[in-house]
Amino acid sequence: MKALCWKGVNELSVDTVPDPQILNAQDAIVRVTMTATCGSDLHLLDGYFPFMESGDVLGHEFIGEIVETGPEVRRHEVGDRVVVCTFIGCGRCWYCEQQLFSLCDNANTNPAISEALWGFPAGGCFGFSLVFGGFTGSHAEYIRVPYVDHGAFAIPDGVDDENALFASDTAPTGWMGAELGGVQPGDVVAVWGCGAVGQMAARAAFLLGAERVIAIDRYPDRLAMTKRHAGAEVLNYEQTDVPGELHEMTGGRGADVCIEAVGSEAHGTGLTNIHDQVKHKLRLQTDRPTAVRQAIYSCRKGGSVFVLGVFGGFVDKFPLGAVYMKGLTFRAAPQHGQRYIPMLLDRMAIGELQTAHYATHVLPLDQGPQAYQMFKNKSDGCVRVAFRP
């Protein structure tokens, strides 16, 4: 089959790779009908996430049609049109029973690396290196889906492919940031990053009752899109002092909930940005916490900060004193999509939630290498590229 493969830092190619096969009784094979790029894929492309191997297939957000099932699959059958959660959960371990699906104890069949890195076995994730199990990604014609009864969800007839696609990862990630960030009716919420996840977090905050949402980015087209589709007020961090402006906009108090949706390759301004850029390039720190710091400083006393962006290692000058002295609730997690996807599909079916506009470009998989460069450079107004393999 055809697949978009990682070949090295900033190097991709469309190759012919072996077709996936049923390996376990609870597997299914899915024909991928749409799959999207994600900002976290750029960390892999840029070589900042370890343990990628030449030939690995990228991609973790996708929908498709089930074409084969293992003998113990009970909830799905051949022909089902499904959206598949990015993170793999067995549905039976203690973490899955607590609905912490991305922390599943059984999904990652290669836990030794994450145990050495972080002191615990990470969960399993499609297309995200050996650290998360080495599962083949979705930028391909077909994909093997383990534990399909617990990770795949039938797409309602009234939901089109372009919307359903983002129920795989973007929508549950953004929703989780707002929900676990503790958004309450009447809150002021600040969101760093106006990519698709940040836009979704802003929309979710409003749906959970936020009175105001203020989104921060540097690209005018992404700010305009967030204002148009999510109804957020916007700030360009290259044109204003964001913590000062947020305190001004909130009567000197700060935002009730701050959501970071940027991740390990954050940009910024001033000396701390230079510090982060230099240390990152010299590999003296693995991630750039520029937006995380700003979220902590911009949050009101007793408020909540939630980190949605992907981080893999260590950061410098983390303001732990501010977290402590302000009495903040600080949380972070990969998305537990299985607990949110059915609800999100229902909201899509009644028109309350629209996500199709995140796919600013829909292209054939053959154009994958060029598409990733456009996505990485944010050129041509690109927010996300969706492929139709």
Side-chain angles (χ1 to χ4, degrees):
M1 69 172 181
K2 185 166 58 178
L4 180 62
C5 300
W6 186 90
K7 308 298 283 191
V9 176
N10 282 315
E11 185 181 352
L12 300 174
S13 69
V14 178
D15 294 344
T16 298
V17 303
D19 290 344
Q21 296 181 341
I22 298 284
L23 299 181
N24 292 301
Q26 299 170 61
D27 290 352
I29 304 299
V30 170
R31 181 177 66 83
V32 179
T33 51
M34 285 194 86
T35 176
T37 60
C38 175
S40 58
D41 291 324
L42 297 180
H43 306 327
L44 305 176
L45 180 65
D46 291 342
Y48 286 116
F49 220 86
F51 304 106
M52 289 291 288
E53 294 185 341
S54 179
D56 283 353
V57 179
L58 290 178
H60 54 258
E61 184 155 45
F62 64 102
I63 60 172
E65 177 188 0
I66 293 178
V67 295
E68 185 180 357
T69 59
E72 293 184 11
V73 173
R74 298 288 181 264
R75 300 176 185 169
H76 290 290
E77 58 186 23
V78 171
D80 281 1
R81 176 175 168 252
V82 294
V83 56
V84 179
C85 183
T86 290
F87 283 89
I88 302 164
C90 74
R92 299 184 179 90
C93 72
W94 186 89
Y95 290 100
C96 286
E97 289 179 347
Q98 308 306 310
Q99 296 196 315
L100 302 171
F101 296 97
S102 65
L103 308 179
C104 176
D105 255 345
N106 296 320
N108 188 344
T109 56
N110 184 34
I113 296 174
S114 58
E115 287 177 336
L117 285 173
W118 302 315
F120 70 95
C125 180
F126 294 101
F128 222 83
S129 86
L130 287 172
V131 178
F132 292 94
F135 294 98
T136 299
S138 61
H139 294 346
E141 293 179 293
Y142 295 90
I143 187 169
R144 170 185 165 245
V145 177
Y147 304 114
V148 67
D149 279 343
H150 301 285
F153 301 86
I155 301 171
D157 289 340
V159 179
D160 60 25
D161 286 356
E162 290 78 7
N163 279 292
L165 171 62
F166 294 104
S168 171
D169 186 31
T170 301
T173 301
W175 189 277
M176 189 180 76
E179 182 183 289
L180 298 189
V183 173
Q184 298 293 316
D187 275 354
V188 178
V189 178
V191 179
W192 276 257
C194 289
V197 169
Q199 292 187 40
M200 179 62 212
R203 177 65 179 141
F206 274 125
L207 289 171
L208 289 170
E211 181 177 310
R212 298 175 71 185
V213 177
I214 303 160
I216 299 118
D217 204 292
R218 63 172 170 158
Y219 293 99
D221 50 352
R222 302 206 315 178
L223 289 166
M225 181 183 281
T226 309
K227 187 175 183 178
R228 182 168 65 252
H229 291 285
E233 301 164 68
V234 297
L235 294 176
N236 185 326
Y237 68 77
E238 290 186 331
Q239 298 175 0
T240 190
D241 169 44
V242 170
E245 189 69 24
L246 282 172
H247 279 81
E248 185 73 22
M249 296 171 76
T250 56
R253 192 176 65 182
D256 298 297
V257 177
C258 292
I259 300 171
E260 189 273 358
V262 180
S264 65
E265 293 183 70
H267 293 268
T269 59
L271 291 176
T272 55
N273 176 55
I274 296 171
H275 171 91
D276 285 340
Q277 295 283 347
V278 171
K279 292 200 74 170
H280 201 203
K281 289 187 185 303
L282 294 176
R283 299 295 197 267
L284 296 175
Q285 68 176 6
T286 57
D287 309 87
R288 302 198 295 260
T290 317
V292 176
R293 285 196 207 99
Q294 207 168 78
I296 291 169
Y297 288 129
S298 302
C299 195
R300 71 161 167 84
K301 291 183 286 187
S304 174
V305 174
F306 198 96
V307 176
L308 283 177
V310 174
F311 291 86
F314 302 94
V315 298
D316 193 8
K317 295 187 168 41
F318 180 83
L320 181 59
V323 174
Y324 177 79
M325 292 298 178
K326 295 175 82 172
L328 299 180
T329 298
F330 188 90
R331 301 187 72 174
Q335 56 108 340
H336 307 305
Q338 290 88 338
R339 67 198 274 188
Y340 298 117
I341 289 173
M343 174 271 293
L344 293 167
L345 289 172
D346 288 343
R347 289 179 184 268
M348 290 176 180
I350 62 174
E352 186 179 61
L353 180 62
Q354 298 293 318
T355 55
H357 58 279
Y358 300 151
T360 51
H361 298 72
V362 180
L363 299 171
L365 193 59
D366 290 333
Q367 295 184 30
Q370 302 91 323
Y372 259 91
Q373 286 306 309
M374 177 176 63
F375 175 53
K376 176 180 176 178
N377 296 319
K378 315 288 190 293
S379 57
D380 196 33
C382 184
V383 173
R384 288 287 184 91
V385 178
F387 299 115
R388 290 188 184 275

